[in-house]
Amino acid sequence: MSLRRASSPAAWARRLPSDDADELSWLLFHQKDVLSLAQARRHLSPKAIRHRLATGRWRQVHRAVLVAHNGPVNAGQLRWVAVLAAGPQAILGGLTAAQAGGVRGFPGRPIHILLPASCRRGSLPAGVVAHRTTTLTDQDVLAVGQPRRTMPARSIVDAAQWAGDDQQARPIVAAAFQQ
């Protein structure tokens, strides 16, 4: 019997952890193999974290964010990196939130996050833009899906508002209605 590489995208899908998997395995599954340093410390000793980084099994992609593999970081993982780097109050916003919800046809960078106006954060990863808001109600935040993001209507309005000019805003609004 010969071993062949799986050639269909379905074969590349991430596998659900087994029933007896530990909490870290489930966390990595839910967060697309991205975790904060604080999350890693809740599940592993500092020595175990250093070992994974030193052997190249994991990578540190930001000051306090790790990726539990050594391959390229995809768009979904970049969204997790942005939110985890910005802190627990951060949510995806604007075009990034719309893309996470299925809007297509726009570049994935920069990644837009939304923070409460009172929240102060340190440096963010390259390619992440933080926007501040004083009005973010529970109705503005999508109750399902991870990482947390704004509802589609709020996402499109924010994306159009954050666009450089009307010329850039029009296709965003049009794509939201078409898709």
Side-chain angles (χ1 to χ4, degrees):
M1 181 165 110
S2 69
L3 296 175
R4 294 187 308 169
R5 290 179 101 164
S7 59
S8 71
W12 301 335
R14 299 183 61 223
R15 293 204 173 145
L16 194 65
S18 64
D19 291 338
D20 61 346
D22 62 359
E23 287 182 36
L24 178 60
S25 297
W26 281 103
L27 177 66
L28 291 171
F29 176 77
H30 287 294
Q31 293 183 186
K32 300 184 188 279
D33 291 333
V34 180
L35 71 164
S36 70
L37 188 54
Q39 289 172 324
R41 286 179 178 150
R42 280 195 292 268
H43 297 281
L44 299 168
S45 69
K47 183 178 178 182
I49 295 168
R50 280 193 308 272
H51 175 72
R52 283 170 171 79
L53 291 169
T55 58
R57 290 177 49 204
W58 286 13
R59 286 188 303 148
Q60 189 165 6
V61 293
H62 185 260
R63 176 174 49 86
V65 182
L66 309 170
V67 177
H69 63 75
N70 58 12
V73 179
N74 65 35
Q77 291 170 329
L78 286 173
R79 290 191 286 262
W80 271 109
V81 168
V83 169
L84 290 173
Q89 294 179 304
I91 64 172
L92 297 177
L95 190 53
T96 305
Q99 289 170 321
V103 172
R104 299 170 316 279
F106 299 93
R109 290 293 200 121
I111 295 173
H112 297 273
I113 59 169
L114 200 55
L115 294 167
S118 60
C119 179
R120 297 291 170 231
R121 293 299 310 157
S123 67
L124 293 172
V128 176
V129 177
H131 301 273
R132 307 224 180 247
T133 184
T134 56
T135 54
L136 185 65
T137 65
D138 289 342
Q139 291 81 17
D140 289 332
V141 179
L142 190 62
V144 296
Q146 292 292 324
R148 290 181 349 122
R149 62 181 185 257
T150 53
M151 292 290 285
R154 167 80 189 247
S155 301
I156 295 303
V157 169
D158 284 346
Q161 182 180 358
W162 299 337
D165 56 28
D166 289 349
Q167 198 101 356
Q168 294 174 353
R170 280 188 203 102
I172 294 169
V173 175
F177 280 100
Q178 292 170 352
Q179 297 176 23

